[in-house]
Amino acid sequence: MPCQFCTNNATIIDYKDTELLKKYIDQYARISRKRTSGVCSKHQRKLATAIKYARHMALLPFVAS
C-alpha cells in the first residue's frame, strides 16, 4: 500500500492542519506507528515533527483526557 503523502505529492505536512494530524494519533493521543498508519519513513518523520509542533502550539493534546 503506497503512502498517502507520496501519492498526493505532498512536500510539507502543515502543523496547523489538525484534522489531518488527528488521523495519525490514537485514542491515548500517541503518535501512530509507521506500520499501522501506512506512511513511508520519510513522511512519518515529518508527520511526527508536525504533531509535536502542534502539541507545543496547543493545537493538539499531549495526553487524552
Side-chain angles (χ1 to χ4, degrees), residues 11-45:
T11 55
I12 60 167
I13 300 173
D14 192 17
Y15 72 93
K16 293 175 277 188
D17 189 5
T18 57
E19 293 302 317
L20 175 72
L21 297 178
K22 284 180 186 177
K23 293 179 186 177
Y24 297 100
I25 294 177
D26 66 1
Q27 62 184 355
Y28 302 109
R30 293 182 299 196
I31 300 172
S32 297
R33 296 202 223 155
K34 185 176 81 162
R35 235 180 313 178
T36 58
S37 64
V39 181
C40 68
S41 297
K42 178 175 98 173
H43 288 110
Q44 179 71 21
R45 287 189 297 273

Side-chain angles (χ1 to χ4, degrees), residues 1 3 5 7 9 23 25 30 34 42 51 62:
M1 176 163 74
C3 171
F5 299 108
T7 56
N9 293 327
K23 293 179 186 177
I25 294 177
R30 293 182 299 196
K34 185 176 81 162
K42 178 175 98 173
I51 290 172
F62 279 95

